[in-house]
Amino acid sequence: SKVLIEEFLNGIELSVFVLTDGKDYVLLPEAKDYKRIGDGDTGPNTGGMGAVSPVVFADQAFMAKIEDQVVRPTIEGLKREKIDYKGFIFVGIMNVGGNPFVIEYNARMGDPETQAVMPRIKSDFVELLSASASGELGGKTLEVHDDYAVTVALVSGGYPGEYETGKVIHGLQQQTESIIFHAGSSTHNNEVLTHGGRVLAVSGKGHTLEQARAHAYKTVSGISWDGLYYRKDIGQDLLNYKG
Ligand code: GLY
């Protein structure tokens, strides 16, 4: 038998998204995911209980390191190995004392990071997707809103363990500027019901992180179902982040 010894990385995680046509790439806004079920990052891991974009510690210098040390070598590696990859690359990064370490690669966007990243994109995103598919991403740039986005995942009680479904969701008709994304819901007799673990994701925007949090949580507070659970602290750790 073998023993695998891995380096322990003590830092803070960041999700970085790249859209590539196999030759060139565009960097999308970064996001921070909140994976644990409980406030203060406690309890079991989930698919993601919320996300924030932009991420305060992902300043220009840190993102430049990610591009130089991770993104460009990744694209070069794909080319060298003759992997004709077009689409998203999601790199999970650990920021260890200002230096990026790769935790994982995924050939997709992230959930719920996407729900925080997409509301910040100002450019015609379909045009960029089309350019990625047709190999014409070279020279394309991405315009991004300066606003913050905070996404809160609304889950069935018991998730990520056992949970019940079929609960009637109330509050979806409220007037709100937040975006309510459906993931694990269904309809029956003109009612919207829970139909999964992670049921909805609510994204609020604002000029500051505080505002975006306030907008998201105001909308969340108007939604209810029997057993609804969500984290109350999405983005809170970044409000006074000192590094
Ligand atoms: N939120 C993490 C993932 O999509 O893998």
Side-chain angles (χ1 to χ4, degrees), residues 12-80:
I12 184 161
E13 254 186 272
L14 172 77
S15 303
V16 171
F17 303 101
V18 182
L19 178 66
T20 182
D21 62 3
K23 308 184 299 278
D24 296 291
Y25 69 89
V26 171
L27 211 55
L28 307 186
E30 76 287 348
K32 182 178 187 286
D33 182 19
Y34 293 78
K35 291 203 170 73
R36 302 271 180 176
I37 188 73
D39 285 356
D41 286 332
T42 53
N45 257 336
T46 69
M49 293 298 293
V52 168
S53 179
V55 179
V56 60
F57 60 81
D59 56 17
Q60 266 190 347
F62 186 61
M63 292 308 290
K65 283 185 190 172
I66 292 176
E67 281 203 71
D68 290 346
Q69 297 171 24
V70 180
V71 177
R72 277 193 208 99
T74 300
I75 304 292
E76 288 308 315
L78 287 171
K79 282 196 259 186
R80 201 169 45 247

Side-chain angles (χ1 to χ4, degrees), residues 105-180:
Y105 283 104
N106 294 293
R108 58 174 173 84
M109 288 289 290
D111 178 11
E113 292 99 315
T114 307
Q115 295 93 310
V117 165
M118 289 299 160
R120 298 193 55 228
I121 293 178
K122 207 192 280 186
S123 306
D124 183 339
F125 201 57
V126 173
E127 201 179 286
L128 283 168
L129 293 176
S130 171
S132 160
S134 59
E136 292 163 357
L137 213 46
K140 300 274 187 217
T141 52
L142 185 78
E143 267 195 282
V144 173
H145 293 287
D146 285 337
D147 288 355
Y148 283 77
V150 169
T151 300
V152 182
L154 278 63
V155 308
S156 297
Y159 173 84
E162 282 184 22
Y163 54 82
E164 293 178 359
T165 58
K167 310 292 182 189
V168 179
I169 304 174
H170 304 280
L172 294 173
Q173 306 301 334
Q174 63 178 289
Q175 289 286 326
T176 176
E177 284 180 18
S178 302
I179 307 172
I180 304 174

